[in-house]
Amino acid sequence: METLAIPLPANLPPDVCTEITKRACYCDTAIVKSRYRQDSNCLEIDLQGPGAGGDVAAKLEHLIGKMQVERLTVTPKILRERSSESGRFSAKAYDELVEQGDVWASGQGTMGRSGAFTGLLNRLDGLLERLAAREFQAVSQSYNSLVPSDWLRRAGYFASFSHSVTFAVHLKEDLEAIERFGQRHRQGENPVFEDVGEIAPPEYCLSPAVCYHTYGALMGQSLPAGTASAFTAHGRCFRYESKNLTGLDRLWEFSMREIVWLGARDAVLAARERAINVVWRLVELLDLSARLETACDPFFASDFPSLRFFQLANDLKYELKVDTSPDVSIACASFNYHERFFGTRFEIGAGDGEPAHTGCTAFGLERLLYACVCQHGLKRTMELVENAAERM
């Protein structure tokens, strides 16, 4: 194992250093793990195999150059914050869930779920669906895990989030190619492709977020003027995060509940603000150490500095970050305003001749529940979730 230490530019905001650390894993297959060392202001990289250090270092320096924010120095701001009354954390929360058979790793970034953990996921999701209907009269919908590639293209996903897309592919319709592929795997070998030409261009991807289905379903339609139409859905979502995939706090496949609003600007913004207040009440009932802060999406490399500045400066994205230990937190929900971006890209009208404004709030269910268990343990979490379901 070889370890590299790559200096980071001075005065980079901490959130930028964290994002660079996450993106570092995509630079080379030799990278096993990346860490940000705040005391020495460097990126520390573990490598497998000898002799790769020079090439990897050059790639990392190129990445840092693309992501540094020299003049765009806006930083996230905390809007709300609270501490748990219990003040306790379990360092073995994940291990205990595994030992009890509530979760098990089935592969990189994938988890099986059972028992009390599954019951709590369903209870929590049911509560959020009920709140969406009560507070926003949201229409409940059900979507596929497959999302048309064209919808992600319209949304700009391939340009800004190319590192995390998961393509759904199949062999091209070609008799000889299909037979050759089958012959190569007669003995149960792992999939091997002779060249990319064996695979048909992907018409679908695995959905990275629920809201793309909402925009696609409404494409070309005009909504009632002066208000915000609301929809809600639960879905399995997929975001590849390379070596950053760990435990329940960062999964490749995870459960998401979303509430989506489309329509007039003021109505969409008012709905987002109401969602923040409702969810903060849930945070209080779950007695969580958490904070609400401005944030940006995980754009890759070249897009990162300008889009980070745009989102932070205009308060377009808020994240609910919940502590899993005294010095670690994870984003468990987000509250987003997209202006007319999706209304324009998907040709959705606001009823006044203009593209619709859109917004959404999204919950990573496994993350939220895992953070609860880290703070309270499984038994107490069951009591708190039940209490919240009764009181909200």
Side-chain angles (χ1 to χ4, degrees):
M1 183 79 72
E2 179 182 0
T3 300
L4 297 178
I6 310 294
L8 292 170
N11 302 320
L12 274 185
D15 70 297
V16 176
C17 296
T18 298
E19 293 303 314
I20 289 174
T21 304
K22 292 176 183 176
R23 302 301 179 282
C25 291
Y26 297 95
C27 287
D28 198 284
T29 56
I31 295 174
V32 176
K33 192 172 184 179
S34 62
R35 295 176 294 276
Y36 169 49
R37 295 298 187 191
Q38 191 169 6
D39 54 350
S40 55
N41 193 40
C42 76
L43 188 62
E44 196 170 85
I45 304 293
D46 293 338
L47 302 177
Q48 61 181 358
D55 290 342
V56 172
K59 292 178 181 179
L60 291 168
E61 288 164 0
H62 180 73
L63 174 75
I64 293 167
K66 290 281 188 180
M67 293 185 67
Q68 62 183 331
V69 289
E70 295 173 346
R71 58 185 180 83
L72 306 178
T73 55
V74 62
T75 55
K77 55 189 177 186
I78 296 175
L79 306 176
R80 302 187 188 188
E81 191 170 18
R82 78 177 303 276
S83 298
S84 170
E85 293 179 4
S86 70
R88 296 189 299 272
F89 290 93
S90 171
K92 298 182 179 179
Y94 175 73
D95 293 338
E96 290 171 355
L97 287 171
V98 171
E99 289 172 5
Q100 293 164 196
D102 284 287
V103 300
W104 61 93
S106 52
Q108 184 187 21
T110 60
M111 283 281 171
R113 307 148 183 82
S114 185
F117 194 82
T118 294
L120 281 170
L121 281 174
N122 294 335
R123 186 66 163 145
L124 186 59
D125 181 58
L127 169 59
L128 294 172
E129 182 180 27
R130 178 161 56 84
L131 292 174
R134 188 187 74 193
E135 301 291 335
F136 307 104
Q137 295 72 56
V139 176
S140 186
Q141 299 194 314
S142 178
Y143 303 131
N144 299 317
S145 293
L146 291 173
V147 62
S149 299
D150 180 64
W151 292 1
L152 296 187
R153 177 194 63 78
R154 287 175 178 266
Y157 199 87
F158 297 135
S160 294
F161 307 104
S162 52
H163 57 299
S164 61
V165 64
T166 305
F167 295 101
V169 300
H170 61 82
L171 294 177
K172 188 166 58 178
E173 285 83 350
D174 183 313
L175 175 62
E176 293 180 355
I178 293 172
E179 288 187 332
R180 286 198 304 272
F181 185 87
Q183 287 296 333
R184 290 202 305 273
H185 299 86
R186 289 292 182 192
Q187 304 304 316
E189 296 87 348
N190 288 323
V192 175
F193 299 101
E194 290 181 341
D195 60 69
V196 72
E198 286 190 312
I199 303 171
E203 300 173 71
Y204 289 88
C205 298
L206 294 179
S207 180
V210 171
C211 59
Y212 296 121
H213 294 277
T214 305
Y215 307 136
L218 295 171
M219 186 160 49
Q221 298 184 33
S222 183
L223 301 171
T227 187
S229 300
F231 302 87
T232 186
H234 170 278
R236 303 290 279 187
C237 295
F238 304 79
R239 297 179 189 174
Y240 179 67
E241 299 204 41
S242 187
K243 303 302 192 303
N244 299 308
L245 296 165
T246 56
L248 284 165
D249 53 343
R250 196 165 295 277
L251 292 165
W252 189 346
E253 178 186 0
F254 57 96
S255 307
M256 180 184 291
R257 162 66 59 180
E258 278 208 58
I259 310 169
V260 185
W261 306 282
L262 310 93
R265 176 184 182 276
D266 290 348
V268 168
L269 286 172
R272 182 176 73 155
E273 186 62 27
R274 183 170 182 80
I276 289 171
N277 291 331
V278 171
V279 172
W280 195 254
R281 175 59 177 154
L282 176 61
V283 168
E284 291 173 337
L285 289 173
L286 295 176
D287 188 27
L288 293 173
S289 292
R291 65 185 183 275
L292 181 74
E293 62 181 43
T294 55
C296 71
D297 286 308
F299 305 107
F300 195 71
S302 300
D303 285 342
F304 180 78
S306 60
L307 293 179
R308 171 186 177 274
F309 177 83
F310 182 69
Q311 286 193 322
L312 288 176
N314 293 285
D315 291 348
L316 298 183
K317 185 180 187 71
Y318 303 136
E319 282 186 342
L320 174 68
K321 292 194 172 179
V322 184
D323 295 339
T324 55
S325 73
D327 55 357
V328 176
S329 64
I330 53 176
C332 295
S334 64
F335 307 85
N336 309 284
Y337 171 53
H338 316 116
E339 299 182 311
R340 287 181 168 141
F341 179 82
F342 290 117
T344 300
R345 293 292 183 97
F346 286 84
E347 303 172 28
I348 303 170
D352 57 1
E354 297 293 331
H357 291 256
T358 67
C360 68
T361 183
F363 303 88
L365 296 176
E366 286 90 355
R367 279 189 174 191
L368 181 54
L369 186 53
Y370 175 60
C372 289
V373 174
C374 286
Q375 292 192 29
H376 301 302
L378 185 60
K379 182 178 179 181
R380 179 59 178 155
T381 295
M382 294 171 67
E383 295 170 354
L384 290 168
V385 169
E386 194 60 36
N387 176 63
E390 293 174 358
R391 297 180 61 181
M392 291 197 75

